[in-house]
């Protein structure tokens, strides 16, 4: 009986999905492996044993509630792997845990706001000596390096925060005329004082104040004006008057008082207060302006968004205050979800209350987010409005500014080297795959790669020079079985011709790690699988060094280790150089 012998010259396909084992018609079949466990595929087609892992340190037991590896590269000579667990940050440099942080005697930096509930879904970006950490339930934290053992963590105080009218309302001002200093540009708006009032209140409730007996008896005359408690009960409170009844002198305010006024409260009714800033003025027959600065009870400075008809005084009753704009980020409204630097701006993507909106700071002023002059270097803002819910889960600075959401992938089209400006900050939707929340996008030689929303495929987001746009394609089509609840992802870039870029993905289903050797210029995506006597929880890359966090069980007790992949050892969690130290305190 004749015998056929087929010579397999390489393994560049990597491990093949069992669903394709009968597909002998595929070209990739001839270069595939049925199983590729604990090996790496070389771009030349060969395979080699994966490195062992070297013990670095043992984490405290609360790592069970959440742990995160974050690379930090300060300079060519100074790079670190930061390990976050509940309210602590450990610093590892060249495989060594740094001790006596800030002279405290501890091997960690205390970061009290980054708790175990934050760690798993936090996002971060770095510039020079500063790492910025964000999460929807976390006021952004700035972590700064001074030396290997000197680090600080502080809550960011913004120079300005964008505004949004979550509960917008419009109030026609019936008591003052309004005179713009110019029809467009940066202007001043001057109100008359005809119906300004002050005195001692007669009474008050949770949402009203009864003005003095001699106040105007004209209905609605104070509508659209502000009432300030100047002294007495509730002093310092400012509210907008929604309705005024002249016969009873009762003014109803938009928002309930924190402390209800009474007959001991003194008040003043004015057109403008400090709360007027960032609200809008609309005029008839035309004109719209955003108030940017409070000058006095009758004067504010504003930027026009639509020119006024003339500089003549606008009669009372023919202009209104568009009210309700508040800080879009706060403890009540939530904080940004994602963050990155791009072309001189700091960008935040999504927040708890505005999940599909992106904000960019002014150029070079990283904590100033409110536009003032609409110049090219001003702050920018855009919302991803499509037919799908686009919860932003990652933003990255690559060839272009790229945005990945649960509903699709977007980018900002830029012509040549033209920068992003407030007028050009618009987004183009490329595909509707969506990204899995909690996973980070990784940059490769040809574009970006990310885990599809349901965690079933590894997708590539790459620019197509022919179509002049980005396209999305699945690069794990032949090996989707290796993605088993993907959770963490990291990329180690090739350092020699003997290896490709190595994309590592930890799996929650069985604790394995999928390893994709990638050389996209040669159309090579060769997967294999890493397993160990334990569970891979996280993976991170410090320039060329691959760190992992592994859960291992000894005598029924779960323990958590930081380990370093190393060709110098041939087992996992290997101890070298004498007796091992104990767990991190």
């Amino acid at each position: 009986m004749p015998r056929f012998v087929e010579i397999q010259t390489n393994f560049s396909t990597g491990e093949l999905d069992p669903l394709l084992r009968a597909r002998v018609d595929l070209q990739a079949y001839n270069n595939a492996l049925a199983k590729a466990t604990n090996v790496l595929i070389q771009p030349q087609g060969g395979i080699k044993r994966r490195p062992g892992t070297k013990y670095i340190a043992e984490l405290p037991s609360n790592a069970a509630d959440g742990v995160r590896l974050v690379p930090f590269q300060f300079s060519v000579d100074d790079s670190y792997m930061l390990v976050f667990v509940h309210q602590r940050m450990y610093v590892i440099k060249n495989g060594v845990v740094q001790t006596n942080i800030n002279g405290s005697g501890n091997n960690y930096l205390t970061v009290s706001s980054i708790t175990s509930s934050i760690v798993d879904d936090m996002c971060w970006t770095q510039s020079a000596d500063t790492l910025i950490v964000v999460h929807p339930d976390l006021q952004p934290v700035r972590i700064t390096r001074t030396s290997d053992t000197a680090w600080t963590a502080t809550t960011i105080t913004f120079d300005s925060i964008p505004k949004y009218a979550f509960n917008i309302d419009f109030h026609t001002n019936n008591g003052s005329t309004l005179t713009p200093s110019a029809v467009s540009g940066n202007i001043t708006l001057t109100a008359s004082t005809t119906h300004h009032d002050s005195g001692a209140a007669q009474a008050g409730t949770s949402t009203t104040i009864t003005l003095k007996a001699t106040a105007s008896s004209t209905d609605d005359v104070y509508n659209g004006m502000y009432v300030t408690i100047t002294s007495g009960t509730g002093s310092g409170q400012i509210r907008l008057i929604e309705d005024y009844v002249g016969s009873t002198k009762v003014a109803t305010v938009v928002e309930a008082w924190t402390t209800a006024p009474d007959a001991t409260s003194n008040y003043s009714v004015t057109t403008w207060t400090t709360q007027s800033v960032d609200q809008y003025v609309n005029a008839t027959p035309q004109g719209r302006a955003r108030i940017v600065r409070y000058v006095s009870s009758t004067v504010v400075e504003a930027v026009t968004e639509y020119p006024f008809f003339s500089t003549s005084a606008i009669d009372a009753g023919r202009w209104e205050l568009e009210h309700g704009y508040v800080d879009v980020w706060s403890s009540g409204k939530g904080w940004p979800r994602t963050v990155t630097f791009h072309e001189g701006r700091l960008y935040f993507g999504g927040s708890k209350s505005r999940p599909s909106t992106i904000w960019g700071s002014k150029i070079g002023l990283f904590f100033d987010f409110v536009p003032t002059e609409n110049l090219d270097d001003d702050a920018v803002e855009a919302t991803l409005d499509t037919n799908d819910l686009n919860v932003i889960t990652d933003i990255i600075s690559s060839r272009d500014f790229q945005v990945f959401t649960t509903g699709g992938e977007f980018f900002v089209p830029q012509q040549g080297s033209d920068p992003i400006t407030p007028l050009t900050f618009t987004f183009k939707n490329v595909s509707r795959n969506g990204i899995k929340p909690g996973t980070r996008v990784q940059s490769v030689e040809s574009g970006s790669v990310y885990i599809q929303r349901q965690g079933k495929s590894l997708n590539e987001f790459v620019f197509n020079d022919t179509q002049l746009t980005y396209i999305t394609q699945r690069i794990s089509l032949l090996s989707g079985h290796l993605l088993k609840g993907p959770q963490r992802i990291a990329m180690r870039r090739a350092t020699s011709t003997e290896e490709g870029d190595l994309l590592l993905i930890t799996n929650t289903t069985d604790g394995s790690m999928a390893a994709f050797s990638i050389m996209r210029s040669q159309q090579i995506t060769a997967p294999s699988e890493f397993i160990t006597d334990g569970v891979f929880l996280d993976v991170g890359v410090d320039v060329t060094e691959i760190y992992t966090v592994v859960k291992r069980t000894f005598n029924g007790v779960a323990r958590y280790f930081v380990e370093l992949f190393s060709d110098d050892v041939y087992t996992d969690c290997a101890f070298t150089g004498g007796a091992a130290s104990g767990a991190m305190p």
Side-chain angles (χ1 to χ4, degrees):
M1 181 176 180
R3 182 174 62 177
F4 292 92
V5 177
E6 183 174 350
I7 298 175
Q8 185 165 345
T9 59
N10 68 83
F11 305 105
S12 58
T13 300
E15 183 173 323
L16 193 67
D17 193 317
L19 295 175
L20 297 171
R21 287 181 182 174
R23 292 295 305 276
V24 295
D25 58 311
L26 294 176
Q27 179 63 38
Y29 183 90
N30 297 321
N31 306 324
L33 290 161
K35 290 292 295 181
T37 303
N38 284 338
V39 296
L40 286 169
I41 314 298
Q42 297 174 297
Q44 292 83 357
I47 61 174
K48 66 176 183 179
R49 183 186 183 277
R50 78 152 168 90
T53 64
K54 183 186 297 185
Y55 168 92
I56 300 301
E58 183 174 356
L59 296 171
S61 60
N62 58 16
D65 301 320
V67 60
R68 198 78 190 229
L69 296 175
V70 176
F72 185 101
Q73 186 174 0
F74 174 71
S75 67
V76 174
D77 299 320
D78 296 305
S79 62
Y80 309 85
M81 182 58 67
L82 309 179
V83 185
F84 288 87
V85 294
H86 181 67
Q87 296 185 332
R88 295 182 180 183
M89 183 192 85
Y90 296 94
V91 180
I92 300 175
K93 181 179 182 181
N94 298 329
V96 177
V97 179
Q98 303 301 293
T99 60
N100 196 26
I101 301 297
N102 297 333
S104 64
N106 296 322
N107 296 344
Y108 58 85
L109 173 71
T110 298
V111 190
S112 57
S113 60
I114 301 180
T115 62
S116 56
S117 62
I118 299 292
V119 167
D120 278 338
D121 293 321
M122 74 184 199
C123 187
W124 63 88
T125 191
Q126 183 206 337
S127 177
D129 62 349
T130 299
L131 181 79
I132 295 176
V133 178
V134 299
H135 183 278
D137 296 320
L138 172 72
Q139 185 170 349
V141 172
R142 174 170 50 190
I143 297 174
T144 306
R145 172 206 177 271
T146 302
S147 69
D148 291 349
T149 57
W151 300 74
T152 58
T154 56
T155 298
I156 293 177
T157 300
F158 291 97
D159 298 326
S160 66
I161 294 178
K163 307 291 183 178
Y164 182 76
F166 293 96
N167 297 294
I168 193 169
D169 50 35
F170 302 86
H171 297 280
T172 300
N173 189 298
N174 293 322
S176 301
T177 62
L178 185 70
T179 305
S181 63
V183 296
S184 62
N186 300 329
I187 64 173
T188 60
L189 297 173
T190 303
S192 64
T193 60
T194 306
H195 289 98
H196 285 193
D197 184 57
S198 62
Q202 299 181 67
T205 68
S206 61
T207 57
T208 67
I209 180 171
T210 303
L211 305 187
K212 66 184 182 182
T214 57
S216 174
S217 60
T218 303
D219 278 347
D220 298 335
V221 71
Y222 297 122
N223 289 7
M225 289 185 165
Y226 288 91
V227 56
T228 302
I229 308 300
T230 56
S231 64
T233 302
S235 178
Q237 297 177 96
I238 303 173
R239 296 293 187 271
L240 186 69
I241 297 176
E242 182 176 38
D243 182 59
Y244 175 70
V245 180
S247 60
T248 61
K249 317 297 184 184
V250 174
T252 302
V253 295
V254 172
E255 181 184 355
W257 301 103
T258 303
T259 301
D262 56 26
T264 69
S265 302
N266 291 309
Y267 71 88
S268 67
V269 176
T270 58
T271 304
W272 308 122
T273 69
T274 54
Q275 287 191 0
S276 304
V277 176
D278 291 315
Q279 312 306 307
Y280 287 81
V281 169
N282 301 314
T284 302
Q286 69 178 49
R288 175 177 170 83
R290 181 171 62 86
I291 300 170
V292 296
R293 180 171 176 265
Y294 168 78
V295 178
S296 69
S297 62
T298 58
V299 179
V300 291
E301 295 176 352
V303 176
T304 57
E305 293 192 353
Y306 190 78
F308 289 89
F309 185 76
S310 72
T311 57
S312 300
I314 302 168
D315 293 337
R318 295 180 65 85
W319 65 276
E320 67 181 7
L321 184 67
E322 185 178 319
H323 181 266
Y325 290 86
V326 298
D327 287 348
V328 73
W329 311 321
S330 65
S331 56
K333 300 298 183 183
W335 301 97
R337 182 183 301 272
T338 61
V339 61
T340 192
F341 287 98
H342 181 73
E343 294 184 351
R345 284 187 174 94
L346 176 65
Y347 286 88
F348 289 119
S351 68
K352 199 167 189 177
S353 54
R354 298 283 291 161
S356 302
T357 300
I358 300 167
W359 303 269
S361 70
K362 297 178 180 179
I363 296 288
L365 301 174
F366 296 135
F367 302 127
D368 189 346
F369 283 84
V370 174
T372 53
E373 299 176 312
N374 285 327
L375 299 178
D376 286 355
D377 62 349
D378 212 344
V380 296
E381 179 178 332
T383 299
L384 305 177
D385 290 321
T386 69
N387 292 331
D388 295 322
L389 175 62
N390 297 301
V391 177
I392 298 169
T393 56
D394 208 358
I395 56 178
I396 67 168
S397 174
S398 187
R399 171 187 175 126
D400 297 296
F401 183 69
Q402 301 173 1
V403 179
F404 296 84
T405 78
T406 56
E409 295 72 52
F410 300 78
F411 77 103
V412 179
Q414 292 176 253
Q415 298 296 324
S417 59
D418 291 348
I420 292 175
T421 69
L423 293 178
T424 64
F425 193 56
T426 58
F427 288 84
K428 183 175 181 180
N429 184 216
V430 174
S431 56
R432 300 294 181 90
N433 295 296
I435 182 176
K436 183 177 181 181
T439 60
R440 300 296 309 271
V441 178
Q442 302 295 314
S443 296
V444 295
E445 57 181 296
S446 58
S448 306
V449 294
Y450 64 96
I451 302 294
Q452 177 258 358
R453 182 175 181 176
Q454 283 73 35
K456 301 298 184 181
S457 68
L458 178 65
N459 292 355
E460 182 181 42
F461 188 72
V462 60
F463 191 81
N464 186 290
D465 292 318
T466 303
Q467 301 179 32
L468 297 180
T469 187
Y470 284 85
I471 60 173
T472 300
Q473 53 193 14
R474 297 185 179 184
I475 61 175
S476 62
L477 184 62
L478 304 180
S479 54
H481 68 296
L482 294 180
L483 299 178
K484 295 170 281 189
Q487 181 181 29
R488 303 290 169 75
I489 181 171
M491 169 70 74
R492 180 190 185 276
R493 290 175 175 80
T495 58
S496 72
T497 58
E498 295 181 0
E499 59 187 13
D501 292 338
L502 183 60
L503 186 70
L504 300 166
I505 303 170
T506 63
N507 290 310
T508 57
T509 301
D510 61 359
S512 65
M513 185 184 297
F516 290 80
S517 295
I518 299 175
M519 185 175 285
R520 298 304 292 155
S521 60
Q522 301 299 318
Q523 299 301 305
I524 294 175
T525 303
S528 58
E529 183 178 52
F530 293 175
I531 60 173
T532 188
D533 185 14
V535 174
F536 289 112
L537 297 179
D538 198 1
V539 61
V541 176
D542 172 15
V543 187
T544 60
E545 302 297 326
I546 302 172
Y547 288 86
T548 182
V549 176
V550 186
K551 173 185 175 182
R552 302 185 184 278
T553 303
F554 298 91
N555 298 323
V557 178
R559 298 167 66 180
Y560 300 85
F561 299 93
V562 179
E563 301 174 21
L564 174 66
F565 282 96
S566 173
D567 288 316
D568 295 334
V569 297
Y570 300 98
T571 59
D572 287 344
C573 201
F575 292 85
T576 61
S581 60
M584 288 184 178

